[in-house]
Amino acid sequence: MPNKKKPYPLYPLVVATFAALAVILWGALFLIAPVWQFSAPPAAYIAPSADGEDVVDSSQAETLIDINTATEQELDRLPGIGPAKAAAIVAYRESHGPFTCLEEVTQVSGISASMVEQWAGLATVHTPGTTPTDFQEMGGAGFWKSRRAFLSTAN
């Protein structure tokens, strides 16, 4: 009797091919060139003005709290600050003079470095009569406010 070979079934090969194509398609859609991204909506783009002036919203610039000139009520709006700590900051400022940087506020009793880190986009320090030299430290609206103040005094 001649040795008859059974034909190789195509079903497993077809299933494996479709599974491989599904994995390739999934990788192309979600990994290589993400068409659908499951994340928060992107931030709105704010184009700089042609004259290089205010790149920051005026509402953002107005909400920035200057630690050296703020009242107790204004300081109370910062995260982790209540009426007692706001009074302590004002008392320290009056007895030791204006702060030179935000990190210096940690010398006030009850103010920690982690609290000051939370104030990153909310507070700034500007010593009256001087121009800040470290614009990176100020960041955001503080930079543009200080730049305008410096340019107005330089002319």
Side-chain angles (χ1 to χ4, degrees):
M1 199 173 200
N3 199 2
K4 283 188 168 182
K5 291 184 179 180
K6 287 185 178 181
Y8 187 75
L10 290 178
Y11 179 73
L13 184 61
V14 170
V15 169
T17 302
F18 279 113
L21 286 174
V23 168
I24 291 170
L25 180 65
W26 180 84
L29 290 176
F30 294 101
L31 299 176
I32 298 171
V35 176
W36 296 296
Q37 294 181 356
F38 305 106
S39 64
Y45 174 72
I46 301 173
S49 62
D51 58 359
E53 284 297 316
D54 247 345
V55 183
V56 180
D57 253 354
S58 61
S59 61
Q60 283 179 330
E62 294 304 318
T63 59
L64 199 63
I65 297 172
D66 185 355
I67 300 295
N68 284 332
T69 60
T71 63
E72 290 182 25
Q73 292 78 20
E74 291 171 331
L75 291 171
D76 195 22
R77 291 187 299 187
L78 293 171
I81 298 293
K85 288 182 184 175
I89 292 172
V90 170
Y92 185 92
R93 182 179 68 202
E94 289 173 354
S95 64
H96 293 86
F99 298 102
T100 56
C101 64
L102 274 179
E103 288 75 25
E104 190 178 341
V105 182
T106 59
Q107 295 176 1
V108 177
S109 175
I111 308 295
S112 67
S114 63
M115 288 173 63
V116 174
E117 288 174 9
Q118 292 176 354
W119 305 343
L122 305 171
T124 185
V125 173
H126 178 69
T127 307
T130 63
T131 303
T133 56
D134 190 5
F135 292 126
Q136 293 288 12
E137 178 184 345
M138 297 186 69
F143 168 79
W144 295 106
K145 270 181 152 177
S146 300
R147 179 175 176 263
R148 279 195 304 272
F150 175 74
L151 291 175
S152 67
T153 59
N155 291 335

